[in-house]
Amino acid sequence: MPFSITRNLGSVIAKKSRPAITIWNRLEGRPRAENFDRALRAEVRDALWMLTRQWQMGEFQGDDAGSPIDVRVHLETTKLQKYQAVLGPVEPFDDQIPLEAHVERMAVPIEQGGHEIALDLRLLLGRQWLKLIRTVSPAPLVAEQFIGRYPIHLPDPRDLDDASTCAHPEAWSSFTAVATRRMDGVKLLDHLASAANHAYDGIPALVGMEGQVDVVAERFVRWFRRVFHQPEGPGAWQKERLEYQFAVSAPYGEVEKVLVAEEYYQGHLDWYNFDVDPARSTLGDVDPAAVPPKPHTLSMLPTQATFNGMPNTRWWRFEDSRTNFGDIKPDTTDLAKLLLIEFGLVFANDWFVVPFTVPAATIAEIQGMAVTNVFGERTWVEAAGRGDDDDWQRWAMFLVSIRGKGHEPADRSLVLPPAARQVLEGRPLEQVMLGRDEMANMVWGIEQTIALPSGDPANGREAAEQTRVFYEADLERRLGAPPEPLPPAEGAKIRYKVMSSVPENWIPLIPVHVAGNNREVQLQRAAMLRIMEGDTAPTPDPVRPRTSLLRPGLEDTPQTGYLLHEEEVPRAGTVVSTSFQRTRWNAGRTFVWLGVRKQTGRGEGSSGLAFDYLADVPPPKD
């Protein structure tokens, strides 16, 4: 189209003699004054125009225009009343204890291989007892007699039985500094474990004060149980699967609702850790005094759900800038971000809150709710998660699943366990990395952190090297001279070796077949031999693990083996650690317990272990 200049443009526009297309790139108001009061009033000059625009945009055809003004909810609640660890008996559920502390608690190891460990704990208990006994008799002779009767063990550097202590200078110096000078409180606690024993046994300075001493001894035992939450029977730790397993139940009609937690190792218990077990109608015997589910009917005015950055219904108000939906840059595969944006910008004002306070250790199930909107319409609303539990199109939030493979009706109850809100976790006392070694066709339990007999954590590899140096020094002392390696044959350039060695903190787990099954394979704890140059012993000593995580069965009489399910060690490996946990519960009471955590490892590894191989002989030194 040829370009031409229009003359008398003003008269052409006024007469509209030439058709044209007008485009505005930006249309906005331009205030002529510094005062914005009138501009912010949003004055409406033509209300009919706004109604026609609503009709044009189809807003009058919406079926969600009625806001709820009255909600009546019918629900039932029942309390958890039974608890059972995986290998323990059924016991009453105690909601005065955080569920994590009750489930995770493990006995604090005070002996290992018949030797005294946990020096820090022994000194702590000893100081506490001497502090309590001063209220009965402040005489220094009483403390001296208790120290003499319950002394700290003095390790002998020349005794191989004390190698676990004397091989580490920091542990050996700690024991030497307090041996025969401080009291071992664990020994007194073990003495008081029998009802026939008394704290004044063997203490002549307390003759005539036996009644007062018994009262103090009861306080001492209660103090230990309060400070260190110890298990009274078989715990919930499943060593074959490296996880906690337990079950709880609550009255549910004429039977009970049994909830099981079979894969708990995260450190925080919540509704997602539980599954309903339909195969068990009760947990133990039915309690005739059990309180049946309690019905509730709530009637209230619903409140709209709000969050930071939520679009305001009043268009002239500015949203909170703490949540900027416009700054979210989702990729094409970020479906979760897209759903979040759609919820926040489109459906955010469609959600209302009907609050109901549920006590801890409670199972609540909503039967339904009657909603009345501003137009007087009443609607009966049922749970969105109803239907088949295995239906992949079923939508639900905060609901537990059904254990099993059948098509059972979905469970619509909400489980609120008495879980700790925040748990303080100490540094790991023990840490074991389980990794696969495909070249050696086995799994290694690498003790990365061990607990020294003094109670302090130490690097596992450094502790293993110190232990080997201690045994080599003992061998040199017995031989009277440093052992000399066997010289190679004259002119030989290679040497045949039966097998190579690995650090002593690498504990092998070899695959074995389960009896009666020719397909399933489990991992059995084995041991490497401590082979030293010049050692003439007919049978070398096996290297035993130093962590309690790899020592199940070694403290039993007689000793038993340890089997681990193969699927618990994937190709990425597994890291298991123990540490002290602390939390504050209701009424200000604190709980301290020893718990276990499990995490994913960092992949496979190679130990370099080889059998029947040839090694180069180094050239002779000049």
Side-chain angles (χ1 to χ4, degrees):
M1 179 177 180
F3 178 78
S4 62
I5 299 176
T6 303
R7 302 182 182 277
N8 298 325
L9 182 61
S11 60
V12 171
I13 294 176
K15 296 179 180 180
K16 297 180 182 181
S17 59
R18 291 189 181 184
I21 298 177
T22 305
I23 299 176
W24 287 279
N25 292 328
R26 185 170 182 178
L27 183 63
E28 63 181 10
R30 179 178 297 178
R32 302 286 183 176
E34 298 180 355
N35 189 350
F36 291 87
D37 292 343
R38 183 173 181 181
L40 294 176
R41 291 176 186 173
E43 298 177 352
V44 178
R45 300 297 183 181
D46 190 353
L48 181 60
W49 178 86
M50 299 188 67
L51 293 175
T52 55
R53 288 293 295 173
Q54 287 182 281
W55 169 80
Q56 185 180 12
M57 300 300 295
E59 293 185 6
F60 294 155
Q61 298 179 1
D63 56 357
D64 57 347
S67 300
I69 59 173
D70 180 72
V71 174
R72 297 188 179 184
V73 184
H74 179 65
L75 72 160
E76 291 183 348
T77 59
T78 179
K79 297 279 292 185
L80 298 175
Q81 296 187 0
K82 293 181 182 179
Y83 169 86
Q84 183 183 23
V86 58
L87 298 177
V90 178
E91 56 186 85
F93 190 90
D94 189 1
D95 57 358
Q96 300 301 316
I97 301 175
L99 191 54
E100 290 93 343
H102 196 71
V103 172
E104 298 177 9
R105 55 182 179 174
M106 300 183 68
V108 179
I110 57 177
E111 288 188 358
Q112 188 177 92
H115 304 287
E116 299 174 0
I117 60 174
L119 176 63
D120 52 351
L121 181 61
R122 295 175 181 274
L123 294 176
L124 175 63
L125 268 65
R127 289 195 300 267
Q128 180 67 17
W129 171 253
L130 295 181
K131 178 181 178 180
L132 293 175
I133 200 63
R134 289 194 192 99
T135 60
V136 178
S137 176
L141 182 60
V142 175
E144 294 177 1
Q145 291 181 357
F146 273 107
I147 295 175
R149 181 172 175 81
Y150 307 104
I152 297 294
H153 167 68
L154 178 62
D156 186 2
R158 302 181 64 87
D159 189 357
L160 290 180
D161 292 338
D162 289 332
S164 60
T165 301
C166 299
H168 315 292
E170 58 271 37
W172 178 76
S173 60
S174 298
F175 271 87
T176 305
V178 297
T180 69
R181 298 183 181 91
R182 292 292 183 268
M183 176 184 170
D184 189 338
V186 173
K187 293 180 180 178
L188 174 61
L189 190 67
D190 293 340
H191 180 74
L192 296 176
S194 176
N197 297 333
H198 301 276
Y200 52 79
D201 295 339
I203 310 297
L206 294 178
V207 175
M209 294 177 282
E210 289 80 359
Q212 296 175 326
V213 175
D214 287 338
V215 174
V216 173
E218 293 179 1
R219 290 176 53 193
F220 175 69
V221 174
R222 289 198 306 267
W223 169 83
F224 174 76
R225 294 177 178 175
R226 184 175 66 253
V227 173
F228 297 95
H229 201 54
Q230 297 287 290
E232 299 178 357
W237 177 250
Q238 188 76 351
K239 59 183 183 297
E240 294 84 3
R241 296 191 176 275
L242 301 178
E243 60 196 19
Y244 293 100
Q245 295 184 4
F246 64 97
V248 294
S249 68
Y252 199 76
E254 298 180 355
V255 293
E256 295 178 353
K257 175 172 288 189
V258 180
L259 304 174
V260 295
E262 295 183 332
E263 296 184 10
Y264 168 63
Y265 50 81
Q266 300 88 355
H268 177 69
L269 276 166
D270 213 331
W271 57 270
Y272 46 77
N273 294 112
F274 296 94
D275 293 327
V276 177
D277 190 356
R280 305 167 68 177
S281 59
T282 60
L283 193 63
D285 298 332
V286 178
D287 186 5
V291 180
K294 183 179 180 181
H296 303 270
T297 301
L298 311 178
S299 180
M300 63 186 65
L301 178 67
T303 304
Q304 189 173 18
T306 58
F307 54 89
N308 294 333
M310 178 178 176
N312 289 307
T313 56
R314 306 291 184 180
W315 65 269
W316 58 82
R317 296 185 58 184
F318 293 97
E319 288 80 8
D320 191 346
S321 61
R322 283 182 291 182
T323 302
N324 187 1
F325 287 97
D327 194 41
I328 300 178
K329 299 178 178 60
D331 295 330
T332 55
T333 58
D334 290 340
L335 181 60
K337 290 184 179 179
L338 294 174
L339 291 175
L340 175 63
I341 296 175
E342 185 177 9
F343 164 78
L345 299 179
V346 180
F347 303 103
N349 59 348
D350 293 340
W351 293 85
F352 291 82
V353 178
V354 181
F356 175 68
T357 303
V358 180
T362 300
I363 300 178
E365 180 175 354
I366 298 179
Q367 306 298 329
M369 63 177 63
V371 181
T372 305
N373 61 13
V374 292
F375 299 111
E377 301 173 342
R378 300 190 65 185
T379 305
W380 176 254
V381 181
E382 296 184 355
R386 66 186 185 278
D388 192 346
D389 183 72
D390 298 327
D391 185 4
W392 67 274
Q393 293 182 328
R394 184 177 67 91
W395 185 89
M397 289 183 63
F398 309 114
L399 300 184
V400 295
S401 301
I402 305 295
R403 181 186 180 188
K405 299 181 180 179
H407 292 272
E408 300 89 354
D411 187 88
R412 299 179 298 173
S413 57
L414 171 66
V415 180
L416 188 66
R421 182 174 182 180
Q422 185 69 32
V423 177
L424 300 178
E425 183 174 352
R427 58 179 179 174
L429 294 179
E430 298 177 346
Q431 188 175 70
V432 177
M433 185 178 68
L434 299 169
R436 289 185 175 271
D437 186 357
E438 297 297 343
M439 296 300 297
N441 192 25
M442 65 174 61
V443 172
W444 293 95
I446 307 173
E447 297 180 323
Q448 295 180 323
T449 303
I450 69 168
L452 295 177
S454 60
D456 298 321
N459 183 276
R461 189 179 183 91
E462 295 178 359
E465 293 176 353
Q466 292 175 348
T467 303
R468 185 170 182 84
V469 169
F470 180 84
Y471 277 95
E472 291 177 348
D474 178 77
L475 177 62
E476 180 181 346
R477 183 172 56 252
R478 288 188 283 111
L479 296 178
E484 293 290 339
L486 294 176
E490 185 177 356
K493 296 183 179 180
I494 58 175
R495 168 179 285 181
Y496 169 77
K497 288 191 174 183
V498 178
M499 74 172 187
S500 62
S501 62
V502 297
E504 293 194 358
N505 63 317
W506 287 52
I507 307 301
L509 298 170
I510 59 177
V512 296
H513 289 288
V514 179
N517 192 325
N518 60 356
R519 295 182 61 188
E520 186 178 359
V521 174
Q522 290 188 349
L523 302 173
Q524 183 179 19
R525 180 189 57 208
M528 299 291 292
L529 298 179
R530 184 178 287 115
I531 301 176
M532 297 179 292
E533 293 285 350
D535 190 4
T536 58
T539 304
D541 294 333
V543 179
R544 299 300 185 186
R546 300 283 298 271
T547 58
S548 60
L549 296 170
L550 294 179
R551 290 184 62 87
L554 294 180
E555 306 297 335
D556 300 339
T557 305
Q559 294 182 350
T560 58
Y562 172 45
L563 293 174
L564 175 66
H565 288 273
E566 184 191 19
E567 61 269 18
E568 300 303 328
V569 187
R571 294 180 64 89
T574 303
V575 178
V576 189
S577 61
T578 62
S579 59
F580 280 106
Q581 319 289 326
R582 183 181 186 273
T583 189
R584 186 178 295 276
W585 197 233
N586 49 23
R589 183 181 175 185
T590 59
F591 289 86
V592 178
W593 69 94
L594 185 65
V596 185
R597 298 287 182 270
K598 183 174 71 171
Q599 297 176 343
T600 305
R602 298 183 178 180
E604 298 180 5
S606 177
S607 62
L609 180 65
F611 299 90
D612 299 330
Y613 68 100
L614 297 176
D616 294 333
V617 175
K621 297 181 180 179
D622 296 336

